[in-house]
Amino acid sequence: LLGVLLAAGCAYFNTLYNAKQRFNEASNQPLDREGDVSRSAVTMYQEVIKKCHKMIRTWPDSRHVDNARLLIVRSYFGAQDYESAIAAADTLIELQPDTDLMDQALALKGVALARHGDHKQAVEVLTDRYERYGPTAEVLSSLCTSLMSLDRSDDAVRYLAILEEKYPNESATFDTEVAIAEILAEKEQYEASRGVYERLTADRIPETFRYRVWTGFARVDIALEPVSYTHLRAHETVL
């Protein structure tokens, strides 16, 4: 009997290891210029999800099932299928409320809600995650952008200050600042948006954000003062 249990345990961990390896391959695939995941990466994530579902069916009583469930959430998230990621996170949270992975499950659910556009619920989940487990750059970033989308700019600025203090050199910090400028522009608050863009361009812009910053800045300029297409091209030549 002990031998059978050990064999089952080895099979489980081998399968989980292989699934994680495939997940790492998928997550290392570059995004396109618009930030979308590639078709090949989506296929890899789908393979991981199938492996994890098979593990859960085969070893439903394993004390490591929560790892498989979390990997499913992460795979849907990586594939940018945020609706499925939210549902998978809910499954983990509901079926295994005592899991040590709850902080990750809540973070993934909250960020997925924000990216899916459900900002009200995203703020609820992310605030709960923040209060229970403390900050991460991604949690603070999504919390800021969701609060801005809900016109709660004072709260957004408060969390942005925490983000800039704790994670000054993180990509998520710069991404949040750019997203706030974009949200302000979408709300036609062009002067405020321009102020954010001016602050961003005061220092060297990381290469991965230059396209977003300069095209966004140009659109705000056009909205504030109609100009020729040549002016837009002048901004884009900086890229």
Side-chain angles (χ1 to χ4, degrees):
L1 179 59
L2 179 61
V4 171
L5 291 174
L6 289 173
C10 289
Y12 181 91
F13 280 110
N14 284 338
T15 307
L16 182 61
Y17 175 80
N18 290 334
K20 287 182 177 179
Q21 288 292 101
R22 195 59 169 165
F23 174 86
N24 290 336
E25 289 179 35
S27 60
N28 286 330
Q29 295 291 308
L31 301 177
D32 64 21
R33 191 171 189 178
E34 284 71 40
D36 295 323
V37 67
S38 68
R39 174 68 64 179
S40 60
V42 170
T43 300
M44 293 180 193
Y45 284 125
Q46 290 171 342
E47 292 173 7
V48 175
I49 292 166
K50 289 179 181 178
K51 287 179 182 291
C52 289
H53 278 304
K54 182 178 180 181
M55 290 166 57
I56 293 168
R57 289 194 304 270
T58 306
W59 299 285
D61 298 323
S62 170
R63 63 189 179 91
H64 300 291
V65 163
D66 56 351
N67 287 281
R69 293 195 192 280
L70 184 67
L71 195 54
I72 291 172
V73 180
R74 294 176 66 195
S75 296
Y76 278 127
F77 188 94
Q80 298 178 340
D81 183 353
Y82 298 121
E83 188 172 0
S84 295
I86 294 163
D90 281 337
T91 298
L92 173 55
I93 292 167
E94 179 182 351
L95 295 181
Q96 296 176 267
D98 297 324
T99 177
D100 292 336
L101 305 176
M102 183 61 71
D103 59 334
Q104 297 180 58
L106 288 173
L108 285 165
K109 178 182 178 180
V111 176
L113 284 164
R115 296 190 182 183
H116 191 53
D118 191 347
H119 297 295
K120 183 176 180 180
Q121 192 174 356
V123 168
E124 293 176 2
V125 174
L126 291 168
T127 301
D128 178 46
R129 165 61 176 75
Y130 175 79
E131 292 176 349
R132 289 169 63 178
Y133 300 103
T136 69
E138 194 166 31
V139 165
L140 288 170
S141 174
S142 293
L143 190 51
C144 288
T145 53
S146 285
L147 287 165
M148 285 295 298
S149 296
L150 295 172
D151 291 321
R152 295 174 55 183
S153 57
D154 289 344
D155 291 328
V157 169
R158 177 164 57 89
Y159 284 110
L160 178 60
I162 298 171
L163 177 64
E164 291 173 335
E165 177 186 358
K166 290 185 174 294
Y167 307 99
N169 300 315
E170 291 278 344
S171 175
T173 302
F174 202 91
D175 182 65
T176 305
E177 294 168 334
V178 177
I180 286 174
E182 293 168 341
I183 292 168
L184 288 168
E186 289 171 7
K187 294 179 178 294
E188 300 184 359
Q189 298 178 31
Y190 299 119
E191 288 288 358
S193 178
R194 189 179 202 173
V196 177
Y197 280 123
E198 287 176 346
R199 184 161 68 90
L200 289 170
T201 55
D203 297 314
R204 180 174 174 80
I205 306 170
E207 184 176 353
T208 54
F209 293 98
R210 290 177 189 172
Y211 181 80
R212 282 175 66 191
V213 170
W214 286 111
T215 55
F217 205 159
R219 292 189 186 103
V220 169
D221 276 351
I222 292 170
L224 286 169
E225 182 179 352
V227 293
S228 66
Y229 180 72
T230 304
H231 185 66
L232 175 60
R233 294 301 302 169
H235 277 293
E236 291 184 340
T237 54
V238 180
L239 298 177

